[in-house]
Amino acid sequence: MTAYRTRSIQLHDFGTPPTLTQHEIDAPTGSEVLVRVTGAGVCHSDLHLQDGYYDLGGGEHLSFRQRVTFPVTPGHEISGVVVARGEDATGATIGQNVLVCPWVGCGDCPRCVRGYENLCSNSRFLGVNRDGGYAEHVLVPHSRYLIDLGDLDPARAAPLTCSGLTTYSAIGKFGSELDEEPLVIFGAGGLGLMAVGLLAVMGKARPVVVEIDPERRSAALAAGARAAIDPTDRDADEQIRAAVGGPVLAILDVVGAGATFAQSYRLIEKGGRIVIAGLLGGDTRVQVPLIPMRSISIEGSYIGKLDELRELVTLVRTHGLPDIPVHTRELHEAPQAMDELRSGSVVGRFVLVP
Ligand SMILES: [Zn+2]
Ligand SMILES: [Zn+2]
């Protein structure tokens, strides 16, 4: 069997910096496809993987310990070109420009059977539970996880598989209300800017963005937000209500912190919906009677389905990619890119181009 020489960025334990490693990767067999990576987005979840936990607030953590085997190559926002395929990998063409859906489930549980592989409890996600895209090559278990990119720019398209899909699926939970009523988006990091850009591509009402960082507020306005408000302003709630121009009925929280939920919970009005897709961490106090009295919905949204990713790619191949800043970096620059993302200084998305 031929093997391919490759280089990848590997994590060897939690809490340690990743390193660049040269090694061999086996040729694909069966339904597998080998993809040469042309874009790998650096996502905040990669930092959670490096840390080994999510912050639940109050000093509590949710550990990755049971779910990760080291060494592991991070990276779940992957575009590439098909270079080899197993004998059963139908539907993949050598030389094809593809997006790789990393959200691989067990395939057998009730959630997988219903198409929600992203919610599988026995996930085999690329870049989390098995090697991902911070590499020259990635082995994809089945050609069904490949989506044709046509002539879309692979570096700009790579973030579609996580920040794109996560926001697309979350926006979908609001239905047609967003055609007329502006969504309030908490956060203008990778996910928030993607949400603003996608709403524009989808022809929805221009959103109101709430973000602490002034540069990110500017980026949100440039991406199409109708207003960008600093939540630390004394009159921030009034500014948000004024920018919405009516009752606040739709809030998307892509930060997912105690403070953003507290503000969302305070702002949302009768019949409204809060969708939380961010995982930053923390906790807050909830006054239970205000949930039924206002008849509000509080919904979590975790990535999205393979079918939704296919829909999203069809959408952007017709209407264009969301216009958000993408900064390309070489593979060996991954550790610095992760550190910069952690420092909070990045506006837009880092994409590794091996
Ligand atoms: Zn991600
Ligand atoms: Zn499953």
Side-chain angles (χ1 to χ4, degrees), residues 31-33 88-92 140-147 310:
S31 63
E32 292 172 344
V33 180
D88 304 324
T90 52
V140 182
H142 197 288
S143 54
R144 65 191 296 267
Y145 299 104
L146 305 180
I147 303 172
R310 291 188 189 285

Side-chain angles (χ1 to χ4, degrees), residues 105-112 117 120-122:
C106 70
D108 294 324
C109 74
R111 285 171 289 228
C112 284
E117 288 185 69
C120 179
S121 312
N122 272 315

